[in-house]
Amino acid sequence: MGVKRIGQGLCWLLLAGMVLCWRPLLAGLPVDSRGIAAQSYEGWAGVLRVWVCGGWQPGYGSFIPWLNQQAARFEKRHPGVYLQMEPVEADVLCAFGQADPAPDGLLFAPGMLPSGQGLCPLEEPAGLRTELRGAGWWEEDTVAVAVAMGGYAWALNRTLVDQVPLDWAQLETPQPVKQTPRYLMQVPAEEPYRCWPAVLDALCAPRRVTLDGEALGQAEAQIDLGLPQDPSASPTPQPQTYLALCSLPLSLPENFLEGDDFYTGFTQGVYGAIPVTQREIRRLQLLSQSGRAPDWTVAAGGAAFTDQLLLLAVPRTNRQDGAAREALMEDFLTFLLEEDAQQALTSIRALRVTQGGPLYVGDQGMEELEQSTLGVLRPVSAFDTQYRAQGRAQAQRLVAAARAAAASLADSP
């Protein structure tokens, strides 16, 4: 019995020692990043002001309803913290460094800020789409991260064009009806935050096709990475392919790439195909509900491109509580990329920027637009000042070639 009691006593002493030491032991364990970030603003309370200047529009016209909805959810997670979304003009947003007090966050489109000076380095969340990583780089730091995006695709009037051809020049130009000339394609003039010439260049990009002219999907057009193969497995036969170049229709409107009648002309049957975003698709959906829309559909072009990004950045601040404000804004960035927030983008008709399932299954036009961006996406960087000139030059080359071919055909006997 004596030995037994001695053993029990030793066990109790060991247990008491563990209880006394548990706090130091826990302090040595790794802490998740959310816990580390929370320590930066623990106990902070106040208002965080976020300037919003999206430039481009989601399908329902404004980002504010989605942002306010997510802000309310974020505030419940952080008692005493309030987010105030303030719509501002582009010139005001560009002068954020001179504002007093300075905003705590900026939501903006590519091309608005000339550089990333005055912005805090950020961590790119793990769930962000691979193609969007680096969209907010400035001098080797990530200073802005996309939280929502829009896309581009062709809208087709099926009475004139029933599918996107490999080469528009091979289609017969529609004949005039009742003295109204019709054209296979129209593209609008360049806008501040939607570079239509660059869109045209992407939608008419070369496509990989089989020898019988069938365009390959993304899954079928995978690049051979040179990885070791199982020698016992039978090789999957690969179709012979070639790169199909694309030309514009031989007959183009006088105001091609210069006018603003592309949507009206499309709905009136003057144009067979126009590039559209989620905004024009929503207008076509409403027109269909009223029974006044043409027989329309949406289809992908040659390459997925977008300059429609809503980017979040956090300005540097010299305030006494600046570290807490910056940490909270970075936490809000992570919050906007969580799955619940990304799924809620359907409330404004925008596209997700994270990896995940489709948002618009069965939604006419939006489903096709979303699918068109799921391949290898070519996004514009936040501070890119060259893509407009490059897109303009490429579009002008396509137009010049089409007009030259049309003139040559007209001169031939």
Side-chain angles (χ1 to χ4, degrees):
M1 290 296 291
V3 173
K4 184 176 181 180
R5 287 181 178 178
I6 291 173
Q8 289 176 340
L10 290 173
C11 289
W12 281 109
L13 286 173
L14 179 62
L15 181 60
M18 292 177 65
V19 170
L20 291 173
C21 295
W22 74 275
R23 287 186 181 275
L25 288 173
L26 284 180
L29 295 176
V31 183
D32 63 42
S33 58
R34 182 181 296 273
I36 293 173
Q39 294 174 11
S40 301
Y41 54 75
E42 185 176 2
W44 188 90
V47 177
L48 298 172
R49 298 167 57 240
V50 182
W51 284 3
V52 183
C53 187
W56 57 278
Q57 292 184 328
Y60 284 154
S62 173
F63 300 100
I64 296 299
W66 174 68
L67 291 169
N68 283 340
Q69 179 190 47
Q70 302 316 309
R73 294 178 56 237
F74 184 81
E75 290 166 0
K76 290 180 180 179
R77 186 180 291 184
H78 300 80
V81 175
Y82 301 93
L83 284 164
Q84 182 177 327
M85 301 296 160
E86 301 180 9
V88 298
E89 298 296 329
D91 58 340
V92 175
L93 183 129
C94 288
F96 70 88
Q98 286 75 51
D100 186 20
D104 299 292
L106 304 175
L107 284 159
F108 64 101
M112 284 186 179
L113 297 179
S115 72
Q117 292 181 355
L119 302 178
C120 297
L122 302 171
E123 292 290 334
E124 285 187 330
L128 195 67
R129 282 186 59 168
T130 302
E131 300 93 336
L132 295 174
R133 296 183 179 278
W137 281 352
W138 175 256
E139 295 183 348
E140 301 183 354
D141 283 321
T142 294
V143 296
V145 177
V147 295
M149 76 175 192
Y152 294 98
W154 288 115
L156 305 178
N157 183 329
R158 284 188 284 210
T159 61
L160 302 178
V161 181
D162 60 354
Q163 62 182 352
V164 177
L166 292 177
D167 187 358
W168 289 90
Q170 302 304 313
L171 292 188
E172 181 181 356
T173 302
Q175 297 300 312
V177 177
K178 295 182 180 179
Q179 307 304 314
T180 301
R182 295 188 175 190
Y183 300 93
L184 289 174
M185 183 190 296
Q186 175 63 300
V187 177
E190 189 172 349
E191 299 176 15
Y193 304 107
R194 296 195 297 181
C195 184
W196 294 108
V199 174
L200 174 65
D201 179 47
L203 293 181
C204 290
R207 286 189 284 174
R208 179 67 61 180
V209 299
T210 61
L211 291 182
D212 61 3
E214 180 182 357
L216 295 179
Q218 290 292 336
E220 299 173 284
Q222 293 294 326
I223 298 174
D224 183 4
L225 300 178
L227 299 177
Q229 303 294 322
D230 183 357
S232 64
S234 300
T236 302
Q238 297 296 320
Q240 290 183 287
T241 65
Y242 71 99
L243 200 61
L245 303 180
C246 183
S247 302
L248 298 184
L250 297 183
S251 178
L252 295 173
E254 289 287 337
N255 64 343
F256 190 77
L257 278 174
E258 296 177 358
D260 59 2
D261 66 334
F262 77 118
Y263 176 80
T264 302
F266 178 81
T267 60
Q268 293 176 351
V270 176
Y271 306 128
I274 60 171
V276 293
T277 71
Q278 57 288 332
R279 188 66 176 145
E280 289 76 31
I281 289 173
R282 182 54 184 160
R283 294 176 67 184
L284 286 169
Q285 290 176 337
L286 293 174
L287 205 61
S288 293
Q289 293 175 12
S290 69
R292 296 181 291 115
D295 181 14
W296 65 280
T297 189
V298 171
F305 160 85
T306 190
D307 53 0
Q308 300 176 89
L309 297 177
L310 183 66
L311 299 140
L312 190 148
V314 181
R316 295 183 182 276
T317 178
N318 293 323
R319 296 185 188 183
Q320 186 176 1
D321 58 351
R325 291 175 177 273
E326 292 170 5
L328 276 164
M329 283 306 307
E330 189 157 3
D331 202 12
F332 184 56
L333 165 62
T334 303
F335 183 84
L336 289 179
L337 297 180
E338 291 180 359
E339 184 61 16
D340 285 348
Q342 289 289 291
Q343 287 188 5
L345 286 169
T346 57
S347 65
I348 57 170
R349 302 222 160 214
L351 303 179
R352 68 156 73 239
V353 296
T354 58
Q355 302 168 8
L359 301 179
Y360 296 97
V361 177
D363 191 326
Q364 182 187 12
M366 287 299 297
E367 179 177 15
E368 291 79 6
L369 179 70
E370 183 177 48
Q371 286 294 321
S372 74
T373 68
L374 295 183
V376 180
L377 181 67
R378 291 163 38 188
V380 169
S381 296
F383 313 108
D384 189 346
T385 59
Q386 301 298 320
Y387 89 98
R388 286 184 170 274
Q390 294 169 351
R392 195 179 305 119
Q394 287 290 88
Q396 289 170 352
R397 177 187 59 80
L398 289 171
V399 172
R403 297 203 188 280
S408 176
L409 185 64
D411 292 341
S412 63

PDB file of all heavy atoms in Angstrom, residues 91-117:
ATOM      1  N   ASP A  91     -10.448  61.503 -59.756  1.00  0.00           N
ATOM      2  CA  ASP A  91      -9.444  62.498 -59.394  1.00  0.00           C
ATOM      3  C   ASP A  91      -9.303  62.617 -57.882  1.00  0.00           C
ATOM      4  O   ASP A  91      -8.203  62.890 -57.371  1.00  0.00           O
ATOM      5  CB  ASP A  91      -9.783  63.846 -60.026  1.00  0.00           C
ATOM      6  CG  ASP A  91     -11.151  64.368 -59.621  1.00  0.00           C
ATOM      7  OD1 ASP A  91     -11.997  63.554 -59.174  1.00  0.00           O
ATOM      8  OD2 ASP A  91     -11.392  65.584 -59.747  1.00  0.00           O
ATOM      9  N   VAL A  92     -10.386  62.424 -57.147  1.00  0.00           N
ATOM     10  CA  VAL A  92     -10.319  62.445 -55.679  1.00  0.00           C
ATOM     11  C   VAL A  92      -9.542  61.242 -55.175  1.00  0.00           C
ATOM     12  O   VAL A  92      -8.680  61.350 -54.292  1.00  0.00           O
ATOM     13  CB  VAL A  92     -11.737  62.473 -55.080  1.00  0.00           C
ATOM     14  CG1 VAL A  92     -11.674  62.371 -53.553  1.00  0.00           C
ATOM     15  CG2 VAL A  92     -12.476  63.739 -55.500  1.00  0.00           C
ATOM     16  N   LEU A  93      -9.831  60.065 -55.745  1.00  0.00           N
ATOM     17  CA  LEU A  93      -9.143  58.854 -55.319  1.00  0.00           C
ATOM     18  C   LEU A  93      -7.637  58.965 -55.543  1.00  0.00           C
ATOM     19  O   LEU A  93      -6.846  58.560 -54.699  1.00  0.00           O
ATOM     20  CB  LEU A  93      -9.704  57.652 -56.070  1.00  0.00           C
ATOM     21  CG  LEU A  93      -9.114  56.301 -55.661  1.00  0.00           C
ATOM     22  CD1 LEU A  93     -10.211  55.298 -55.341  1.00  0.00           C
ATOM     23  CD2 LEU A  93      -8.210  55.739 -56.735  1.00  0.00           C
ATOM     24  N   CYS A  94      -7.245  59.552 -56.681  1.00  0.00           N
ATOM     25  CA  CYS A  94      -5.816  59.682 -56.987  1.00  0.00           C
ATOM     26  C   CYS A  94      -5.083  60.576 -55.985  1.00  0.00           C
ATOM     27  O   CYS A  94      -3.873  60.446 -55.796  1.00  0.00           O
ATOM     28  CB  CYS A  94      -5.632  60.235 -58.402  1.00  0.00           C
ATOM     29  SG  CYS A  94      -6.056  59.048 -59.691  1.00  0.00           S
ATOM     30  N   ALA A  95      -5.807  61.468 -55.336  1.00  0.00           N
ATOM     31  CA  ALA A  95      -5.199  62.392 -54.369  1.00  0.00           C
ATOM     32  C   ALA A  95      -5.356  61.890 -52.937  1.00  0.00           C
ATOM     33  O   ALA A  95      -5.355  62.688 -51.995  1.00  0.00           O
ATOM     34  CB  ALA A  95      -5.826  63.774 -54.515  1.00  0.00           C
ATOM     35  N   PHE A  96      -5.443  60.564 -52.746  1.00  0.00           N
ATOM     36  CA  PHE A  96      -5.685  60.032 -51.400  1.00  0.00           C
ATOM     37  C   PHE A  96      -4.573  60.430 -50.434  1.00  0.00           C
ATOM     38  O   PHE A  96      -4.805  60.573 -49.236  1.00  0.00           O
ATOM     39  CB  PHE A  96      -5.819  58.507 -51.455  1.00  0.00           C
ATOM     40  CG  PHE A  96      -4.542  57.774 -51.766  1.00  0.00           C
ATOM     41  CD1 PHE A  96      -3.664  57.390 -50.754  1.00  0.00           C
ATOM     42  CD2 PHE A  96      -4.207  57.450 -53.072  1.00  0.00           C
ATOM     43  CE1 PHE A  96      -2.488  56.715 -51.039  1.00  0.00           C
ATOM     44  CE2 PHE A  96      -3.036  56.767 -53.362  1.00  0.00           C
ATOM     45  CZ  PHE A  96      -2.168  56.407 -52.352  1.00  0.00           C
ATOM     46  N   GLY A  97      -3.366  60.618 -50.938  1.00  0.00           N
ATOM     47  CA  GLY A  97      -2.248  60.954 -50.064  1.00  0.00           C
ATOM     48  C   GLY A  97      -2.345  62.332 -49.446  1.00  0.00           C
ATOM     49  O   GLY A  97      -1.733  62.596 -48.404  1.00  0.00           O
ATOM     50  N   GLN A  98      -3.141  63.234 -50.069  1.00  0.00           N
ATOM     51  CA  GLN A  98      -3.285  64.587 -49.544  1.00  0.00           C
ATOM     52  C   GLN A  98      -4.535  64.758 -48.672  1.00  0.00           C
ATOM     53  O   GLN A  98      -4.767  65.822 -48.107  1.00  0.00           O
ATOM     54  CB  GLN A  98      -3.352  65.602 -50.685  1.00  0.00           C
ATOM     55  CG  GLN A  98      -2.010  65.854 -51.379  1.00  0.00           C
ATOM     56  CD  GLN A  98      -1.602  64.717 -52.279  1.00  0.00           C
ATOM     57  OE1 GLN A  98      -2.398  64.296 -53.113  1.00  0.00           O
ATOM     58  NE2 GLN A  98      -0.383  64.235 -52.139  1.00  0.00           N
ATOM     59  N   ALA A  99      -5.360  63.701 -48.597  1.00  0.00           N
ATOM     60  CA  ALA A  99      -6.613  63.801 -47.841  1.00  0.00           C
ATOM     61  C   ALA A  99      -6.330  63.856 -46.342  1.00  0.00           C
ATOM     62  O   ALA A  99      -5.394  63.241 -45.842  1.00  0.00           O
ATOM     63  CB  ALA A  99      -7.513  62.614 -48.159  1.00  0.00           C
ATOM     64  N   ASP A 100      -7.153  64.609 -45.629  1.00  0.00           N
ATOM     65  CA  ASP A 100      -7.017  64.725 -44.182  1.00  0.00           C
ATOM     66  C   ASP A 100      -8.412  64.686 -43.551  1.00  0.00           C
ATOM     67  O   ASP A 100      -9.176  65.648 -43.672  1.00  0.00           O
ATOM     68  CB  ASP A 100      -6.290  66.019 -43.808  1.00  0.00           C
ATOM     69  CG  ASP A 100      -5.993  66.097 -42.317  1.00  0.00           C
ATOM     70  OD1 ASP A 100      -5.998  65.037 -41.663  1.00  0.00           O
ATOM     71  OD2 ASP A 100      -5.772  67.216 -41.819  1.00  0.00           O
ATOM     72  N   PRO A 101      -8.782  63.592 -42.889  1.00  0.00           N
ATOM     73  CA  PRO A 101      -7.948  62.400 -42.685  1.00  0.00           C
ATOM     74  C   PRO A 101      -7.910  61.525 -43.930  1.00  0.00           C
ATOM     75  O   PRO A 101      -8.826  61.570 -44.760  1.00  0.00           O
ATOM     76  CB  PRO A 101      -8.665  61.680 -41.541  1.00  0.00           C
ATOM     77  CG  PRO A 101     -10.111  62.046 -41.721  1.00  0.00           C
ATOM     78  CD  PRO A 101     -10.096  63.463 -42.210  1.00  0.00           C
ATOM     79  N   ALA A 102      -6.860  60.756 -44.071  1.00  0.00           N
ATOM     80  CA  ALA A 102      -6.702  59.872 -45.226  1.00  0.00           C
ATOM     81  C   ALA A 102      -7.678  58.707 -45.116  1.00  0.00           C
ATOM     82  O   ALA A 102      -8.055  58.296 -44.012  1.00  0.00           O
ATOM     83  CB  ALA A 102      -5.269  59.353 -45.282  1.00  0.00           C
ATOM     84  N   PRO A 103      -8.121  58.164 -46.250  1.00  0.00           N
ATOM     85  CA  PRO A 103      -9.004  56.990 -46.199  1.00  0.00           C
ATOM     86  C   PRO A 103      -8.228  55.775 -45.691  1.00  0.00           C
ATOM     87  O   PRO A 103      -7.000  55.707 -45.804  1.00  0.00           O
ATOM     88  CB  PRO A 103      -9.430  56.810 -47.662  1.00  0.00           C
ATOM     89  CG  PRO A 103      -8.307  57.401 -48.444  1.00  0.00           C
ATOM     90  CD  PRO A 103      -7.819  58.567 -47.631  1.00  0.00           C
ATOM     91  N   ASP A 104      -8.949  54.827 -45.134  1.00  0.00           N
ATOM     92  CA  ASP A 104      -8.320  53.602 -44.633  1.00  0.00           C
ATOM     93  C   ASP A 104      -8.203  52.537 -45.715  1.00  0.00           C
ATOM     94  O   ASP A 104      -7.374  51.627 -45.592  1.00  0.00           O
ATOM     95  CB  ASP A 104      -9.121  53.051 -43.450  1.00  0.00           C
ATOM     96  CG  ASP A 104      -9.172  54.029 -42.297  1.00  0.00           C
ATOM     97  OD1 ASP A 104      -8.115  54.273 -41.685  1.00  0.00           O
ATOM     98  OD2 ASP A 104     -10.260  54.588 -42.023  1.00  0.00           O
ATOM     99  N   GLY A 105      -9.035  52.642 -46.749  1.00  0.00           N
ATOM    100  CA  GLY A 105      -8.990  51.678 -47.832  1.00  0.00           C
ATOM    101  C   GLY A 105      -9.384  52.318 -49.143  1.00  0.00           C
ATOM    102  O   GLY A 105     -10.105  53.325 -49.162  1.00  0.00           O
ATOM    103  N   LEU A 106      -8.902  51.744 -50.247  1.00  0.00           N
ATOM    104  CA  LEU A 106      -9.241  52.212 -51.588  1.00  0.00           C
ATOM    105  C   LEU A 106      -9.742  51.030 -52.399  1.00  0.00           C
ATOM    106  O   LEU A 106      -9.142  49.951 -52.377  1.00  0.00           O
ATOM    107  CB  LEU A 106      -8.015  52.813 -52.289  1.00  0.00           C
ATOM    108  CG  LEU A 106      -7.273  53.960 -51.607  1.00  0.00           C
ATOM    109  CD1 LEU A 106      -6.032  54.317 -52.422  1.00  0.00           C
ATOM    110  CD2 LEU A 106      -8.181  55.167 -51.450  1.00  0.00           C
ATOM    111  N   LEU A 107     -10.843  51.227 -53.131  1.00  0.00           N
ATOM    112  CA  LEU A 107     -11.331  50.246 -54.083  1.00  0.00           C
ATOM    113  C   LEU A 107     -11.370  50.931 -55.438  1.00  0.00           C
ATOM    114  O   LEU A 107     -12.081  51.926 -55.613  1.00  0.00           O
ATOM    115  CB  LEU A 107     -12.723  49.736 -53.681  1.00  0.00           C
ATOM    116  CG  LEU A 107     -12.713  48.735 -52.517  1.00  0.00           C
ATOM    117  CD1 LEU A 107     -14.081  48.673 -51.849  1.00  0.00           C
ATOM    118  CD2 LEU A 107     -12.306  47.346 -53.006  1.00  0.00           C
ATOM    119  N   PHE A 108     -10.606  50.409 -56.409  1.00  0.00           N
ATOM    120  CA  PHE A 108     -10.401  51.141 -57.650  1.00  0.00           C
ATOM    121  C   PHE A 108     -10.192  50.172 -58.803  1.00  0.00           C
ATOM    122  O   PHE A 108     -10.060  48.950 -58.620  1.00  0.00           O
ATOM    123  CB  PHE A 108      -9.194  52.073 -57.513  1.00  0.00           C
ATOM    124  CG  PHE A 108      -7.884  51.355 -57.294  1.00  0.00           C
ATOM    125  CD1 PHE A 108      -6.989  51.167 -58.338  1.00  0.00           C
ATOM    126  CD2 PHE A 108      -7.542  50.861 -56.033  1.00  0.00           C
ATOM    127  CE1 PHE A 108      -5.788  50.508 -58.147  1.00  0.00           C
ATOM    128  CE2 PHE A 108      -6.347  50.206 -55.830  1.00  0.00           C
ATOM    129  CZ  PHE A 108      -5.462  50.028 -56.888  1.00  0.00           C
ATOM    130  N   ALA A 109     -10.133  50.716 -60.019  1.00  0.00           N
ATOM    131  CA  ALA A 109      -9.942  49.937 -61.240  1.00  0.00           C
ATOM    132  C   ALA A 109      -8.541  50.140 -61.784  1.00  0.00           C
ATOM    133  O   ALA A 109      -7.877  51.145 -61.467  1.00  0.00           O
ATOM    134  CB  ALA A 109     -10.972  50.353 -62.292  1.00  0.00           C
ATOM    135  N   PRO A 110      -8.043  49.218 -62.618  1.00  0.00           N
ATOM    136  CA  PRO A 110      -6.735  49.417 -63.248  1.00  0.00           C
ATOM    137  C   PRO A 110      -6.681  50.721 -64.028  1.00  0.00           C
ATOM    138  O   PRO A 110      -7.642  51.107 -64.690  1.00  0.00           O
ATOM    139  CB  PRO A 110      -6.623  48.210 -64.194  1.00  0.00           C
ATOM    140  CG  PRO A 110      -7.478  47.160 -63.565  1.00  0.00           C
ATOM    141  CD  PRO A 110      -8.628  47.903 -62.962  1.00  0.00           C
ATOM    142  N   GLY A 111      -5.550  51.395 -63.920  1.00  0.00           N
ATOM    143  CA  GLY A 111      -5.357  52.640 -64.649  1.00  0.00           C
ATOM    144  C   GLY A 111      -5.709  53.886 -63.879  1.00  0.00           C
ATOM    145  O   GLY A 111      -5.407  54.992 -64.329  1.00  0.00           O
ATOM    146  N   MET A 112      -6.356  53.762 -62.727  1.00  0.00           N
ATOM    147  CA  MET A 112      -6.727  54.948 -61.955  1.00  0.00           C
ATOM    148  C   MET A 112      -5.538  55.544 -61.231  1.00  0.00           C
ATOM    149  O   MET A 112      -5.346  56.758 -61.223  1.00  0.00           O
ATOM    150  CB  MET A 112      -7.826  54.608 -60.947  1.00  0.00           C
ATOM    151  CG  MET A 112      -9.200  54.466 -61.549  1.00  0.00           C
ATOM    152  SD  MET A 112     -10.460  54.248 -60.278  1.00  0.00           S
ATOM    153  CE  MET A 112     -11.926  54.146 -61.317  1.00  0.00           C
ATOM    154  N   LEU A 113      -4.736  54.701 -60.603  1.00  0.00           N
ATOM    155  CA  LEU A 113      -3.559  55.168 -59.866  1.00  0.00           C
ATOM    156  C   LEU A 113      -2.327  54.991 -60.739  1.00  0.00           C
ATOM    157  O   LEU A 113      -2.111  53.911 -61.298  1.00  0.00           O
ATOM    158  CB  LEU A 113      -3.397  54.381 -58.560  1.00  0.00           C
ATOM    159  CG  LEU A 113      -4.528  54.527 -57.532  1.00  0.00           C
ATOM    160  CD1 LEU A 113      -4.228  53.678 -56.304  1.00  0.00           C
ATOM    161  CD2 LEU A 113      -4.719  55.981 -57.146  1.00  0.00           C
ATOM    162  N   PRO A 114      -1.497  56.021 -60.856  1.00  0.00           N
ATOM    163  CA  PRO A 114      -0.316  55.913 -61.715  1.00  0.00           C
ATOM    164  C   PRO A 114       0.763  54.994 -61.150  1.00  0.00           C
ATOM    165  O   PRO A 114       1.629  54.532 -61.884  1.00  0.00           O
ATOM    166  CB  PRO A 114       0.182  57.356 -61.793  1.00  0.00           C
ATOM    167  CG  PRO A 114      -0.309  58.001 -60.532  1.00  0.00           C
ATOM    168  CD  PRO A 114      -1.632  57.359 -60.247  1.00  0.00           C
ATOM    169  N   SER A 115       0.719  54.739 -59.849  1.00  0.00           N
ATOM    170  CA  SER A 115       1.726  53.886 -59.228  1.00  0.00           C
ATOM    171  C   SER A 115       1.182  53.348 -57.912  1.00  0.00           C
ATOM    172  O   SER A 115       0.079  53.702 -57.481  1.00  0.00           O
ATOM    173  CB  SER A 115       3.016  54.681 -58.962  1.00  0.00           C
ATOM    174  OG  SER A 115       2.831  55.592 -57.887  1.00  0.00           O
ATOM    175  N   GLY A 116       2.001  52.511 -57.270  1.00  0.00           N
ATOM    176  CA  GLY A 116       1.614  51.961 -55.973  1.00  0.00           C
ATOM    177  C   GLY A 116       2.250  52.691 -54.816  1.00  0.00           C
ATOM    178  O   GLY A 116       2.238  52.183 -53.683  1.00  0.00           O
ATOM    179  N   GLN A 117       2.783  53.893 -55.059  1.00  0.00           N
ATOM    180  CA  GLN A 117       3.402  54.661 -53.987  1.00  0.00           C
ATOM    181  C   GLN A 117       2.359  55.056 -52.945  1.00  0.00           C
ATOM    182  O   GLN A 117       1.248  55.455 -53.281  1.00  0.00           O
ATOM    183  CB  GLN A 117       4.080  55.902 -54.549  1.00  0.00           C
ATOM    184  CG  GLN A 117       5.289  55.594 -55.411  1.00  0.00           C
ATOM    185  CD  GLN A 117       5.964  56.842 -55.940  1.00  0.00           C
ATOM    186  OE1 GLN A 117       5.480  57.949 -55.734  1.00  0.00           O
ATOM    187  NE2 GLN A 117       7.087  56.673 -56.618  1.00  0.00           N
TER     188      GLN A 117
END
